[in-house]
Amino acid sequence: MGLLEDSVVKVKGMGLIILIVNILFPGIGTILAGIMTEEKEKSQSAIIVGVLQFILASCCIGWLWAIWTGIQIMQASD
């Protein structure tokens, strides 16, 4: 799989919290999901994507991307 597909990880019971954190602090929720996931093969991709979202948040692309990733993580986790 590619970097973007691997960034959607399962975080048991934390999907909504990850989404809220990604809305308020773009990329931080994705980084936290990468750290907290049990899918260790996907954790590095999630952390890299989270850093990119954080860097790109200043031009709104990263913020929208972080929200989208947060929604995907929430759906995968619940």
Coordinates of all heavy atoms in Angstrom, one line a residue:
M1 N 0.8 -1.2 0.0 CA 0.0 0.0 0.0 C 0.9 1.2 0.0 O 2.0 1.2 0.4 CB -0.9 0.0 1.2 CG -2.0 -1.0 1.2 SD -3.2 -0.4 2.4 CE -4.7 -1.0 1.8
G2 N 0.2 2.4 -0.3 CA 1.0 3.6 -0.4 C 1.0 4.4 1.0 O 0.3 3.9 1.9
L3 N 1.7 5.4 1.0 CA 1.8 6.2 2.2 C 0.5 6.8 2.7 O 0.2 6.7 3.9 CB 2.8 7.4 1.9 CG 3.0 8.4 3.1 CD1 3.8 7.7 4.2 CD2 3.8 9.6 2.6
L4 N -0.4 7.2 1.8 CA -1.7 7.8 2.2 C -2.6 6.7 2.7 O -3.3 7.0 3.7 CB -2.3 8.6 1.1 CG -1.5 9.8 0.6 CD1 -2.2 10.5 -0.5 CD2 -1.3 10.8 1.8
E5 N -2.6 5.6 2.1 CA -3.5 4.5 2.6 C -3.0 3.9 3.9 O -3.8 3.6 4.8 CB -3.6 3.3 1.6 CG -4.3 3.7 0.3 CD -3.3 4.3 -0.8 OE1 -2.1 4.3 -0.5 OE2 -3.8 4.8 -1.8
D6 N -1.7 3.9 4.1 CA -1.2 3.4 5.4 C -1.3 4.4 6.5 O -1.2 4.0 7.7 CB 0.3 3.0 5.2 CG 0.5 1.7 4.5 OD1 -0.5 1.0 4.3 OD2 1.7 1.5 4.1
S7 N -1.7 5.6 6.2 CA -1.8 6.6 7.3 C -3.1 6.5 8.1 O -3.3 7.1 9.1 CB -1.6 8.0 6.7 OG -2.7 8.4 5.9
V8 N -4.1 5.7 7.5 CA -5.3 5.5 8.2 C -5.2 4.3 9.0 O -5.2 3.2 8.6 CB -6.5 5.3 7.1 CG1 -7.8 5.1 7.8 CG2 -6.6 6.6 6.3
V9 N -5.0 4.5 10.3 CA -4.8 3.5 11.3 C -6.0 3.3 12.2 O -6.8 4.2 12.3 CB -3.5 3.7 12.1 CG1 -2.3 3.7 11.3 CG2 -3.6 5.0 12.9
K10 N -6.1 2.2 12.9 CA -7.2 1.9 13.8 C -6.7 2.2 15.2 O -5.6 1.8 15.6 CB -7.6 0.4 13.8 CG -8.3 0.1 12.5 CD -8.6 -1.4 12.5 CE -9.2 -1.8 11.1 NZ -9.5 -3.2 11.1
V11 N -7.4 3.1 15.9 CA -7.1 3.4 17.3 C -8.4 3.1 18.1 O -9.3 3.9 18.0 CB -6.7 4.9 17.4 CG1 -6.3 5.2 18.9 CG2 -5.6 5.2 16.5
K12 N -8.4 2.0 18.8 CA -9.6 1.5 19.5 C -10.2 2.6 20.4 O -9.5 3.1 21.3 CB -9.3 0.3 20.3 CG -9.0 -0.9 19.4 CD -8.7 -2.1 20.2 CE -8.3 -3.3 19.3 NZ -8.0 -4.5 20.1
G13 N -11.5 2.9 20.2 CA -12.2 3.9 21.1 C -11.7 5.3 21.0 O -12.3 6.1 21.8
M14 N -10.8 5.7 20.2 CA -10.2 7.0 20.2 C -10.5 7.7 18.9 O -10.0 8.8 18.7 CB -8.7 7.0 20.4 CG -8.3 6.4 21.7 SD -8.7 7.5 23.1 CE -7.5 8.7 22.8
G15 N -11.3 7.2 18.0 CA -11.5 7.8 16.7 C -12.1 9.2 16.7 O -11.6 10.1 16.0
L16 N -13.1 9.4 17.5 CA -13.7 10.7 17.6 C -12.7 11.7 18.2 O -12.6 12.9 17.8 CB -15.0 10.7 18.4 CG -15.7 12.0 18.6 CD1 -16.2 12.6 17.2 CD2 -16.9 11.8 19.5
I17 N -12.0 11.3 19.2 CA -11.0 12.2 19.8 C -9.9 12.6 18.8 O -9.5 13.8 18.8 CB -10.4 11.6 21.1 CG1 -11.5 11.4 22.1 CG2 -9.2 12.4 21.6 CD1 -11.1 10.6 23.3
I18 N -9.4 11.6 18.0 CA -8.4 11.9 17.0 C -9.0 12.9 16.0 O -8.3 13.9 15.6 CB -8.0 10.6 16.3 CG1 -7.3 9.7 17.3 CG2 -7.1 10.9 15.1 CD1 -6.0 10.2 17.8
L19 N -10.2 12.8 15.6 CA -10.9 13.7 14.7 C -10.9 15.1 15.3 O -10.5 16.1 14.6 CB -12.3 13.3 14.3 CG -13.1 14.2 13.4 CD1 -12.4 14.5 12.1 CD2 -14.5 13.7 13.2
I20 N -11.3 15.3 16.5 CA -11.4 16.6 17.2 C -10.0 17.2 17.3 O -9.9 18.4 17.0 CB -12.1 16.4 18.5 CG1 -13.6 16.1 18.4 CG2 -12.0 17.7 19.4 CD1 -14.3 15.7 19.6
V21 N -9.0 16.4 17.7 CA -7.7 17.0 17.7 C -7.2 17.4 16.4 O -6.6 18.5 16.2 CB -6.7 15.9 18.4 CG1 -5.3 16.4 18.3 CG2 -7.1 15.7 19.8
N22 N -7.5 16.6 15.3 CA -7.1 17.0 14.0 C -7.8 18.3 13.5 O -7.2 19.1 12.7 CB -7.3 15.9 13.0 CG -6.1 15.1 12.7 OD1 -5.0 15.5 13.1 ND2 -6.3 14.0 12.0
I23 N -9.0 18.5 14.0 CA -9.7 19.8 13.6 C -9.1 21.0 14.3 O -8.9 22.0 13.7 CB -11.2 19.7 13.9 CG1 -11.9 18.7 13.0 CG2 -11.9 21.0 13.8 CD1 -13.3 18.3 13.4
L24 N -8.8 20.8 15.6 CA -8.2 21.9 16.3 C -6.7 22.1 16.1 O -6.2 23.3 16.0 CB -8.4 21.7 17.8 CG -9.9 21.6 18.3 CD1 -10.0 21.2 19.8 CD2 -10.6 22.9 18.0
F25 N -6.0 21.0 15.9 CA -4.5 21.1 15.7 C -4.2 20.2 14.6 O -3.8 19.0 14.8 CB -3.8 20.7 17.0 CG -4.2 21.4 18.2 CD1 -5.0 20.8 19.2 CD2 -3.8 22.7 18.4 CE1 -5.4 21.5 20.3 CE2 -4.1 23.4 19.6 CZ -5.0 22.8 20.5
P26 N -4.2 20.7 13.3 CA -4.0 19.8 12.1 C -2.7 19.0 12.2 O -1.7 19.6 12.4 CB -4.0 20.8 11.0 CG -4.7 22.0 11.5 CD -4.4 22.1 13.0
G27 N -2.9 17.7 12.0 CA -1.7 16.8 11.9 C -1.4 16.2 13.3 O -0.9 15.1 13.3
I28 N -1.6 16.9 14.4 CA -1.3 16.3 15.7 C -2.1 15.1 16.0 O -1.6 14.1 16.5 CB -1.5 17.4 16.8 CG1 -0.6 18.7 16.5 CG2 -1.2 16.8 18.2 CD1 0.8 18.4 16.4
G29 N -3.4 15.1 15.6 CA -4.2 13.9 15.8 C -3.7 12.7 15.0 O -3.7 11.6 15.5
T30 N -3.3 12.9 13.8 CA -2.7 11.8 13.0 C -1.4 11.3 13.6 O -1.2 10.1 13.6 CB -2.5 12.3 11.5 OG1 -3.7 12.9 11.0 CG2 -2.1 11.2 10.6
I31 N -0.6 12.2 14.1 CA 0.7 11.8 14.7 C 0.3 10.9 16.0 O 0.9 9.9 16.2 CB 1.5 13.0 15.1 CG1 2.0 13.7 13.8 CG2 2.7 12.6 16.0 CD1 2.7 15.0 14.1
L32 N -0.6 11.4 16.8 CA -1.0 10.7 18.0 C -1.6 9.3 17.6 O -1.3 8.3 18.3 CB -2.1 11.4 18.8 CG -1.5 12.7 19.5 CD1 -2.7 13.4 20.2 CD2 -0.5 12.3 20.6
A33 N -2.4 9.2 16.6 CA -2.9 8.0 16.1 C -1.8 7.0 15.7 O -1.9 5.8 16.0 CB -3.9 8.2 15.0
G34 N -0.8 7.6 15.0 CA 0.3 6.7 14.6 C 1.1 6.2 15.8 O 1.6 5.1 15.8
I35 N 1.2 7.0 16.9 CA 1.9 6.5 18.1 C 1.1 5.5 18.8 O 1.6 4.5 19.4 CB 2.2 7.8 19.0 CG1 3.3 8.6 18.3 CG2 2.7 7.3 20.3 CD1 3.5 10.0 18.9
M36 N -0.3 5.7 18.9 CA -1.1 4.9 19.7 C -1.6 3.6 19.0 O -2.2 2.8 19.7 CB -2.3 5.7 20.2 CG -1.9 6.8 21.1 SD -3.2 8.0 21.6 CE -4.7 7.2 21.2
T37 N -1.5 3.5 17.7 CA -2.0 2.3 17.0 C -1.3 1.0 17.4 O -0.2 1.0 17.7 CB -2.0 2.5 15.5 OG1 -2.7 1.5 14.9 CG2 -0.6 2.6 15.0
E38 N -2.1 -0.1 17.2 CA -1.5 -1.4 17.4 C -1.0 -1.9 16.1 O -0.3 -2.9 16.0 CB -2.5 -2.3 18.0 CG -2.9 -2.0 19.4 CD -4.0 -2.9 20.0 OE1 -4.4 -3.9 19.3 OE2 -4.5 -2.6 21.1
E39 N -1.3 -1.2 15.0 CA -0.8 -1.6 13.6 C 0.6 -1.0 13.4 O 0.7 0.0 12.7 CB -1.8 -1.1 12.6 CG -3.2 -1.7 12.7 CD -4.1 -1.1 11.7 OE1 -4.5 0.1 11.8 OE2 -4.5 -1.8 10.7
K40 N 1.6 -1.6 14.0 CA 2.9 -1.0 14.0 C 3.5 -0.8 12.6 O 4.3 0.1 12.3 CB 3.9 -1.8 14.9 CG 3.5 -1.8 16.3 CD 3.4 -0.3 16.8 CE 2.9 -0.3 18.3 NZ 2.5 1.0 18.7
E41 N 3.1 -1.6 11.6 CA 3.6 -1.5 10.3 C 3.1 -0.2 9.6 O 3.6 0.2 8.6 CB 3.2 -2.7 9.4 CG 1.7 -2.9 9.1 CD 1.0 -3.6 10.2 OE1 1.6 -4.0 11.2 OE2 -0.3 -3.7 10.1
K42 N 2.0 0.3 10.1 CA 1.4 1.6 9.5 C 1.7 2.8 10.4 O 1.5 3.9 9.9 CB -0.1 1.5 9.5 CG -0.6 0.4 8.5 CD -2.1 0.5 8.4 CE -2.7 -0.4 7.3 NZ -4.1 -0.2 7.2
S43 N 2.4 2.6 11.5 CA 2.6 3.8 12.4 C 3.5 4.8 11.8 O 3.3 6.0 11.9 CB 3.0 3.3 13.8 OG 4.3 2.8 13.7
Q44 N 4.6 4.4 11.2 CA 5.5 5.3 10.6 C 4.9 6.2 9.5 O 5.1 7.4 9.4 CB 6.7 4.6 10.0 CG 7.8 5.5 9.5 CD 9.0 4.8 9.0 OE1 9.0 3.5 8.8 NE2 10.1 5.5 8.7
S45 N 4.0 5.6 8.7 CA 3.3 6.3 7.6 C 2.4 7.3 8.2 O 2.3 8.5 7.7 CB 2.5 5.4 6.7 OG 3.4 4.5 6.1
A46 N 1.7 7.0 9.3 CA 0.8 7.9 9.9 C 1.5 9.1 10.5 O 1.1 10.3 10.4 CB -0.1 7.2 11.0
I47 N 2.7 8.9 11.1 CA 3.4 9.9 11.7 C 4.0 10.9 10.6 O 3.9 12.1 10.8 CB 4.6 9.4 12.6 CG1 4.0 8.7 13.8 CG2 5.5 10.5 13.0 CD1 5.0 7.9 14.6
I48 N 4.5 10.3 9.5 CA 5.0 11.1 8.4 C 3.8 12.0 7.8 O 4.0 13.2 7.6 CB 5.6 10.3 7.3 CG1 6.9 9.6 7.8 CG2 5.9 11.1 6.0 CD1 7.5 8.6 6.9
V49 N 2.7 11.4 7.6 CA 1.5 12.1 7.1 C 1.1 13.2 8.1 O 0.8 14.4 7.7 CB 0.4 11.2 6.7 CG1 -0.9 12.0 6.5 CG2 0.7 10.4 5.5
G50 N 1.1 12.9 9.3 CA 0.8 13.9 10.4 C 1.7 15.1 10.3 O 1.3 16.3 10.4
V51 N 3.0 14.9 10.2 CA 4.0 16.0 10.1 C 3.7 16.8 8.8 O 3.8 18.0 8.9 CB 5.4 15.4 10.1 CG1 6.4 16.5 9.8 CG2 5.7 14.8 11.5
L52 N 3.5 16.1 7.7 CA 3.1 16.9 6.5 C 1.9 17.7 6.6 O 1.8 18.9 6.2 CB 3.0 15.9 5.3 CG 4.3 15.3 4.8 CD1 4.0 14.2 3.8 CD2 5.3 16.3 4.3
Q53 N 0.9 17.2 7.3 CA -0.4 17.9 7.5 C -0.1 19.1 8.4 O -0.6 20.2 8.1 CB -1.4 17.0 8.2 CG -2.0 16.0 7.3 CD -2.8 15.0 8.1 OE1 -2.8 14.9 9.3 NE2 -3.5 14.1 7.3
F54 N 0.7 19.0 9.4 CA 1.1 20.1 10.3 C 1.8 21.2 9.6 O 1.5 22.4 9.7 CB 1.9 19.6 11.5 CG 2.3 20.6 12.5 CD1 1.4 21.0 13.4 CD2 3.5 21.2 12.5 CE1 1.7 22.0 14.4 CE2 3.9 22.1 13.4 CZ 2.9 22.5 14.4
I55 N 2.8 20.8 8.7 CA 3.5 21.8 7.9 C 2.6 22.5 6.9 O 2.7 23.7 6.8 CB 4.7 21.1 7.2 CG1 5.7 20.6 8.2 CG2 5.4 22.0 6.2 CD1 6.8 19.7 7.7
L56 N 1.7 21.8 6.3 CA 0.9 22.4 5.2 C -0.4 23.1 5.8 O -1.1 23.7 5.0 CB 0.4 21.3 4.2 CG 1.6 20.7 3.4 CD1 1.1 19.5 2.6 CD2 2.2 21.8 2.5
A57 N -0.6 23.0 7.1 CA -1.8 23.6 7.7 C -1.8 25.1 7.5 O -2.9 25.7 7.4 CB -1.8 23.3 9.2
S58 N -0.6 25.8 7.3 CA -0.6 27.2 7.2 C -1.3 27.7 5.9 O -1.7 28.8 5.8 CB 0.8 27.7 7.2 OG 1.6 27.2 6.1
C59 N -1.4 26.8 4.9 CA -2.0 27.2 3.6 C -3.4 26.4 3.5 O -3.9 26.3 2.3 CB -1.1 26.9 2.4 SG -0.6 25.2 2.2
C60 N -3.9 26.0 4.5 CA -5.2 25.3 4.6 C -5.3 23.9 4.0 O -6.2 23.2 4.3 CB -6.4 26.2 4.0 SG -6.7 27.6 5.1
I61 N -4.4 23.6 3.1 CA -4.4 22.2 2.5 C -4.2 21.2 3.6 O -4.9 20.2 3.7 CB -3.3 22.1 1.4 CG1 -3.7 23.0 0.3 CG2 -3.1 20.7 1.0 CD1 -2.6 23.2 -0.8
G62 N -3.2 21.4 4.5 CA -3.0 20.5 5.6 C -4.1 20.3 6.5 O -4.4 19.3 7.0
W63 N -4.8 21.5 6.8 CA -5.9 21.4 7.7 C -7.1 20.6 7.1 O -7.6 19.7 7.8 CB -6.4 22.9 8.0 CG -7.5 23.0 9.0 CD1 -7.5 22.6 10.3 CD2 -8.8 23.5 8.7 NE1 -8.7 22.8 10.9 CE2 -9.5 23.4 10.0 CE3 -9.5 24.0 7.6 CZ2 -10.9 23.8 10.1 CZ3 -10.8 24.4 7.8 CH2 -11.5 24.3 9.0
L64 N -7.4 20.8 5.9 CA -8.5 20.0 5.2 C -8.1 18.5 5.1 O -8.9 17.6 5.3 CB -8.8 20.6 3.8 CG -9.4 22.0 3.8 CD1 -9.4 22.5 2.4 CD2 -10.7 22.0 4.5
W65 N -6.8 18.3 4.8 CA -6.3 16.9 4.7 C -6.4 16.3 6.1 O -6.7 15.1 6.2 CB -4.9 17.0 4.2 CG -4.1 15.7 4.0 CD1 -4.7 14.5 3.9 CD2 -2.8 15.5 3.8 NE1 -3.7 13.5 3.6 CE2 -2.5 14.2 3.6 CE3 -1.7 16.4 3.7 CZ2 -1.2 13.7 3.3 CZ3 -0.4 15.9 3.5 CH2 -0.2 14.6 3.3
A66 N -6.0 17.0 7.1 CA -6.1 16.4 8.5 C -7.5 16.1 8.9 O -7.7 15.1 9.6 CB -5.5 17.4 9.5
I67 N -8.5 16.9 8.6 CA -9.9 16.6 8.9 C -10.3 15.4 8.1 O -10.9 14.5 8.7 CB -10.8 17.8 8.5 CG1 -10.5 19.0 9.4 CG2 -12.2 17.4 8.6 CD1 -11.1 20.3 9.0
W68 N -9.9 15.3 6.9 CA -10.3 14.1 6.1 C -9.7 12.8 6.7 O -10.3 11.8 6.8 CB -9.9 14.3 4.6 CG -10.2 13.1 3.8 CD1 -9.3 12.2 3.2 CD2 -11.5 12.6 3.4 NE1 -10.0 11.2 2.5 CE2 -11.3 11.4 2.7 CE3 -12.8 13.0 3.7 CZ2 -12.4 10.7 2.2 CZ3 -13.8 12.3 3.2 CH2 -13.6 11.1 2.4
T69 N -8.4 12.9 7.0 CA -7.7 11.7 7.6 C -8.4 11.4 9.0 O -8.6 10.2 9.3 CB -6.2 12.0 7.8 OG1 -5.7 12.4 6.6 CG2 -5.5 10.8 8.4
G70 N -8.8 12.4 9.8 CA -9.4 12.2 11.0 C -10.7 11.5 10.9 O -11.1 10.6 11.7
I71 N -11.5 11.8 9.8 CA -12.8 11.2 9.5 C -12.5 9.7 9.2 O -13.2 8.8 9.7 CB -13.5 11.9 8.4 CG1 -14.0 13.3 8.9 CG2 -14.7 11.0 7.9 CD1 -14.6 14.2 7.8
Q72 N -11.5 9.5 8.4 CA -11.2 8.1 8.0 C -10.7 7.3 9.2 O -11.1 6.1 9.3 CB -10.1 8.1 6.9 CG -10.6 8.6 5.6 CD -9.5 8.6 4.5 OE1 -8.4 9.0 4.8 NE2 -9.9 8.2 3.3
I73 N -9.9 7.8 10.0 CA -9.5 7.1 11.2 C -10.6 6.8 12.1 O -10.7 5.7 12.7 CB -8.4 7.9 12.0 CG1 -7.1 7.9 11.1 CG2 -8.1 7.4 13.4 CD1 -6.0 8.9 11.7
M74 N -11.6 7.8 12.3 CA -12.7 7.6 13.1 C -13.6 6.4 12.6 O -14.0 5.5 13.3 CB -13.6 8.8 13.2 CG -14.8 8.7 14.1 SD -15.8 10.2 14.2 CE -16.6 10.1 12.6
Q75 N -13.8 6.4 11.3 CA -14.6 5.3 10.7 C -13.9 3.9 10.8 O -14.5 2.9 11.0 CB -14.8 5.6 9.2 CG -15.8 6.8 9.0 CD -15.9 7.2 7.5 OE1 -15.1 6.8 6.7 NE2 -16.9 7.9 7.2
A76 N -12.6 3.9 10.7 CA -11.8 2.7 10.8 C -11.8 2.2 12.2 O -11.7 1.0 12.5 CB -10.4 2.8 10.2
S77 N -11.8 3.1 13.2 CA -11.7 2.7 14.6 C -12.9 2.3 15.3 O -12.9 1.5 16.2 CB -11.1 3.9 15.4 OG -9.8 4.2 14.9
D78 N -14.1 2.7 14.8 CA -15.3 2.4 15.5 C -16.0 1.3 14.9 O -15.8 0.7 13.9 CB -16.2 3.7 15.5 CG -15.6 4.8 16.3 OD1 -14.8 4.5 17.2 OD2 -15.9 5.9 16.1

